[in-house]
Amino acid sequence: MQVYKIGALLRLIRTEKKISQSALCRGICSVQMVSLIEKERRVAHWKLVDLLYSRLGEDTPFELAAMTKSQFERYNIEFEINSLVAIGNADIKKLLEKYAAAETKMTKWEQQFFQFYSIVYENRAFSKKQWALDELTKTLKMTIPDYELSDLLPKQKLLSSMELIILNNISRLLYMLGNKKDGLALMEKLYGYTKHSWLSVQVRARLRPVFLFNLANWLDEKPEDWKASLKKSEEAFEICLKHGNLAYFPHHLFIKGYYSAKLGNIQHGKKMMIDALTCMWAIGKDAFANRIIDKINPEFNFDIPHYEKIPLLDEWKA
């Protein structure tokens, strides 16, 4: 069995997908740097490796990446931050401070991560949407220098997972700030990006439920749009089931239930919504689930209690 080092594996994947070195590294490093990494003549920073692999549409083989002690600390802090934000907890200020202190100087690639999550924290804590939109655009320019907000999706072919996350948030802010047309157009383009052939099955399965969640929630309040939202949530739900996407599984189960109820199937919809809320509580999304309950109880005349008020789940699930 042949064992590949991280640079040699990168070259193998890149050449199999017929992607040039210049297309892969545009905005993040030089072609010479990629060449040295692929020839195993340069020990690449783990964050650069992550950007290169994700632009190829692949999960990063971190087990092959060389890291110093402080780099490994920063890698672990990133994991903690991502995990908290994934369950709707943006109380990450102390982790961001710890991240900044892990090394004396951050690389450009780490700075992009740090700036993005600092903006997420500031916006969620103080509701600074226009400021956040402006800052996110600057943050994206760190690896896509020619990006303009008017372009919506960048002109370049390949995007890293970090760049896609930033664009997802730009789209959401455009929509929330009242520019629904551009926000929706960008989200549609992001979903379209997941159809590219160079993305691995695993990466598509991770990205599509995120974009479909927004698209399912951004349609107008009309029965024909409810049916479209239900269809989008069903697509994402099947992806989550097949590939074990726990983070977005309850969200799309809830949307299925919500629009089923809107379309007249009240009891079936209620059951799915309660099952979705139970999943959210199980993975720590208590506050998010309780906000949903505050919306659906008066809308459908339900009496679903908040998490902390539930004496026994089986009693009210029945």
Side-chain angles (χ1 to χ4, degrees), residues 2 12 18 25 27 61 75 109 112 139 146 152 170 177 181 202 214 232 262 301:
Q2 191 169 5
L12 177 65
K18 296 180 172 59
C25 70
Y75 165 81
W109 318 299
Q112 187 177 56
T139 303
D146 62 347
L152 298 183
I170 287 175
L177 285 166
K181 181 181 177 181
Q202 293 80 6
N214 290 319
K232 286 180 169 62
K262 294 277 280 186
N301 198 28

Side-chain angles (χ1 to χ4, degrees), residues 1 39 56 66 75 79 81 93 97 115 118-119 198 215 220 227-228 232 239 247 258 279 282 284 289 295:
M1 178 178 176
K39 292 174 182 176
L56 286 175
Y75 165 81
F79 181 81
I81 290 172
K93 185 177 181 181
E97 291 171 351
Q115 286 185 204
S118 296
I119 295 164
W198 67 83
L215 291 172
D220 293 331
K227 291 177 183 178
K232 286 180 169 62
I239 293 170
Y258 178 78
C279 291
K295 170 179 169 57

Side-chain angles (χ1 to χ4, degrees), residues 226 254 256-274 296-297 299-304:
W226 300 342
F254 175 81
K256 279 188 66 176
Y258 178 78
Y259 284 109
S260 292
K262 294 277 280 186
L263 289 165
N265 199 342
I266 302 293
Q267 290 307 311
H268 181 61
K270 181 180 181 181
K271 183 182 184 305
M272 283 193 286
M273 284 189 274
I274 289 175
I296 63 175
N297 273 347
E299 183 173 357
F300 297 105
N301 198 28
F302 292 161
D303 58 353
I304 302 172

Side-chain angles (χ1 to χ4, degrees), residues 67 186 194 259 288:
M67 299 186 200
L186 176 52
T194 67
Y259 284 109
F288 184 79

Side-chain angles (χ1 to χ4, degrees), residues 254 267 269-282 286 289-290 292-293 296-297 302-318:
F254 175 81
Q267 290 307 311
K270 181 180 181 181
K271 183 182 184 305
M272 283 193 286
M273 284 189 274
I274 289 175
D275 287 344
L277 291 165
T278 305
C279 291
M280 290 179 192
W281 291 322
D286 306 0
N290 288 340
I292 289 174
I293 290 170
I296 63 175
N297 273 347
F302 292 161
D303 58 353
I304 302 172
H306 281 186
Y307 174 72
E308 63 271 18
K309 297 178 183 177
I310 298 171
L312 186 64
L313 287 176
D314 291 341
E315 289 181 8
W316 59 272
K317 277 190 72 177

Side-chain angles (χ1 to χ4, degrees), residues 112 115 133-143 147:
Q112 187 177 56
Q115 286 185 204
L133 178 61
D134 296 339
E135 292 302 308
L136 283 177
T137 304
K138 295 176 188 175
T139 303
L140 190 59
K141 283 177 175 285
M142 294 177 70
T143 52
Y147 177 72

Side-chain angles (χ1 to χ4, degrees), residues 150-164:
S150 57
D151 297 333
L152 298 183
L153 198 68
K155 297 182 179 70
Q156 69 182 53
K157 178 181 178 182
L158 305 176
L159 298 171
S160 71
S161 56
M162 187 75 255
E163 290 160 347
L164 289 166

